[in-house]
Each structure stands twice: as C-alpha cells, then as structure tokens.
Amino acid sequence: MKLKDTKELFQKELNGLYDNEEIDNFFYLLIESYLGLKRLDLSLNPEVLYSKEVQKPIIEALTALKEQKPIQYILGETDFFGLTFKVNPNVLIPRPETEELVAWIIHQTSKNKRQPINILDIGTGSGCIAVSLAKKLPNANIFALDVSKKALQTAKLNAKLNDVTIELIEGDILNLETSDKAFRNLKFDIVVSNPPYVRELEKEHMKSNVLHNEPHLALFVNNEDPLQFYKAIVQFSVDKLLSKGSLFFEINEYLGNQMIQLLDEYHFRDIQLKQDIFKKGRMIKATK
C-alpha cells in the first residue's frame, strides 16, 4: 500500500473528529514511529510503499483514533522537556504547561547556592517532573511520591529510560501514615506538585479523549473541597520544608485567589501566581 493513500484514508476516516492539520500530524507521528520516516521523506517520495506487516498497526492506530484514544497512548510515549517519556492509561499525559513549571523550578534553583538539595514531587504520575528535574539538576536528590503502584512503575521506567536516579515512594498525601517512615528523617528544599484539581463541575468542558482515557484518580476533585490535595501538601510542607524552602504548584486557573489565601493562611511568604503561555494563572510559588 502507498503511504499517500493511507494519508488520504486518515483524512477521510477522521474528518469531523479532528481538524485536518491534527489528522496529518497523527499520520506523520505514526509513520515516523513505525517506519522511521519523516514528513520530508514522504514529500520527496509520495509513492513509497510499505508492507502488510507495518500496515496492520497503522490501521489499528487509525481505529483507536476514531475511538478518540490519545495519540500518546497509541504510541506509548511522548516528549516532555526535551526528553522521551513512556505513557499509558495509568498516568496522565504530560502537558506543555507543566514544562513551564519545571523551567520555573530550574530557574529558581540556579539561584540556590546550597548543594546538594532535596526535591520532592508529590503525585509524580509518569515521573515527568521528577525525571526532568533529575536530568537538569544532577546535583539534586529527587524524591517522587504517588499513591498508584502502576504509576510508580511507569515513573521507574522513565527514570531508567532517561538515565537518572530518583527515589520512588508509594504513599497517599491524604494519609501519610503508610509512608511516614520514608519521610521521617527528610527535609526538603523544594516541594512540587501537580495534583488533581479539575472539579467535577468542569467535566462537561473537557475533551472526550481526555475524559474517557486519562486516569480520573489523577484528574478530578469534588466540587465541595477542590483544594483538598493542596491543603494536605501545604500542611505537610509546613513541617517538611526547610527554612526558606520553596513550594511550587500547578493549579486550576479558576482557583488562584483561593490558593493565595490558603498559602497565606499557613504563613507562607513571597507568594507568586504566574501565568502560563496561554495567559492563564496556572502556577504558584511560595516560600516558607
């Protein structure tokens, strides 16, 4: 079968579900993954043929896209902060906004003359934050906490894939009795988290490919207590952050003022609410 015919098939079958540019991007990602061919290769040789053996997974991927399965789960990996991460339905797909949070932490850490430093990532999921920080801050000791065994397995795989060392801890930030021993003698220079923050009432505004594929455990909080995880992390940080240590969060864009109030209530200083590339208040930092 000719690749140009398959490309036309993608446009025909996915029309109405995605825009044309997105469909083309899916197609090029798949042929690069399965055939090692880039967009330019196909432009130079549109008549290129491929075997039935390769045709099968590409058509299976097309079927999955019709069911609105995320392309990252179909490929089993994605890029984040210039690194490759394995992803699966046990972990959230890393977002570009979270790259901004990582960049902010690295910039902040460059001002810190104390080495090495301890950094804790709470709710690590795929390990995208923890692994990226370990890669860019080789003198830091990185710890990563998650309640999900399967998420921790993925984070472990990603640490190995990117040739870094992080210490993985299984535990629930809402009930740290189960992991108290892991933290007993530890203090941190930085605590960072991208916890669940999407309120149930916001489900109707979410894309169906996210809603029906990504883990709800890592996405949603109830409407009555949307800052549940943030409160637990702030309370934890009161005890576990070193003096002048920093707390970084990715947050719900609609709850910035409530987050400022929460951090102020626990006497954190130098609170900064930062906009992401889309001009939404999605990151916040505070100092103990």
Side-chain angles (χ1 to χ4, degrees):
M1 189 171 185
K2 294 180 180 179
L3 277 177
K4 71 171 186 177
D5 295 332
T6 306
K7 184 184 176 193
E8 291 172 2
L9 179 64
F10 267 61
Q11 284 288 350
K12 177 183 176 183
E13 295 291 323
L14 299 177
N15 184 41
L17 290 174
Y18 311 94
D19 63 45
N20 290 341
E21 184 178 354
E22 193 171 16
I23 295 169
D24 281 349
N25 285 336
F26 291 155
F27 173 74
Y28 289 122
L29 282 169
L30 289 164
I31 66 165
E32 182 173 357
S33 178
Y34 294 135
L35 295 173
L37 295 174
K38 296 188 180 295
R39 184 184 297 238
L40 180 61
D41 298 320
L42 186 56
S43 299
L44 294 173
N45 187 10
E47 301 297 320
V48 66
L49 296 167
Y50 66 105
S51 67
K52 289 184 178 180
E53 289 75 16
V54 178
Q55 180 180 342
K56 185 173 184 290
I58 291 179
I59 297 304
E60 288 175 347
L62 173 59
T63 301
L65 286 168
K66 288 169 69 174
E67 296 168 354
Q68 299 194 54
K69 185 174 182 180
I71 187 69
Q72 295 90 340
Y73 288 160
I74 295 170
L75 294 171
E77 64 183 35
T78 192
D79 293 331
F80 180 87
F81 216 75
L83 304 171
T84 299
F85 285 84
K86 298 295 183 182
V87 291
N88 54 62
N90 299 307
V91 298
L92 290 180
I93 297 166
R95 265 63 173 187
E97 303 93 300
T98 309
E99 291 181 320
E100 296 182 72
L101 181 65
V102 171
W104 196 9
I105 295 169
I106 292 170
H107 177 72
Q108 168 74 20
T109 305
S110 67
K111 302 176 183 178
N112 190 335
K113 303 303 180 184
R114 179 169 49 194
Q115 294 288 346
I117 62 172
N118 291 340
I119 300 176
L120 173 64
D121 174 25
I122 296 177
T124 196
S126 66
C128 64
I129 293 176
V131 170
S132 298
L133 291 174
K135 196 71 174 179
K136 303 300 179 180
L137 302 171
N139 292 325
N141 302 312
I142 309 293
F143 302 81
L145 173 77
D146 206 287
V147 69
S148 165
K149 286 182 185 292
K150 291 182 177 179
L152 289 172
Q153 290 169 359
T154 304
K156 182 178 180 180
L157 177 64
N158 283 323
K160 184 176 181 181
L161 177 65
N162 288 288
D163 194 28
V164 298
T165 299
I166 60 176
E167 184 166 334
L168 298 166
I169 303 167
E170 183 183 350
D172 182 356
I173 191 62
L174 301 181
N175 180 18
L176 274 181
E177 291 179 6
T178 55
S179 52
D180 181 61
K181 291 180 181 178
F183 293 111
R184 192 163 292 165
N185 299 314
L186 283 173
K187 294 280 187 177
F188 299 97
D189 298 87
I190 293 173
V191 172
V192 55
S193 185
N194 178 16
Y197 61 67
V198 181
R199 294 170 292 182
E200 294 284 341
L201 62 86
E202 294 168 318
K203 277 186 177 181
E204 62 186 78
H205 304 297
M206 298 185 71
K207 292 182 178 179
S208 60
N209 63 334
V210 174
L211 189 59
H212 299 307
N213 290 280
E214 299 196 50
H216 285 201
L217 178 67
L219 280 172
F220 295 109
V221 288
N222 63 59
N223 298 329
E224 290 71 33
D225 191 12
L227 299 184
Q228 178 185 23
F229 289 94
Y230 294 95
K231 289 174 185 174
I233 295 167
V234 169
Q235 290 168 352
F236 168 87
S237 298
V238 167
D239 179 49
K240 290 300 182 181
L241 263 182
L242 291 165
S243 176
K244 299 184 180 179
S246 297
L247 185 55
F248 288 86
F249 287 120
E250 184 170 325
I251 67 171
N252 187 316
E253 64 184 282
Y254 303 110
L255 300 176
N257 289 333
Q258 290 92 320
M259 280 299 305
I260 291 171
Q261 184 177 343
L262 172 65
L263 290 163
D264 186 62
E265 180 183 335
Y266 282 89
H267 308 294
F268 279 82
R269 301 175 292 106
D270 303 325
I271 301 168
Q272 300 176 49
L273 179 63
K274 190 172 184 180
Q275 292 184 335
D276 64 13
I277 53 174
F278 304 110
K279 305 300 181 184
K280 297 177 180 179
R282 293 286 303 279
M283 295 167 282
I284 198 164
K285 169 189 173 291
T287 303
K288 183 177 174 184

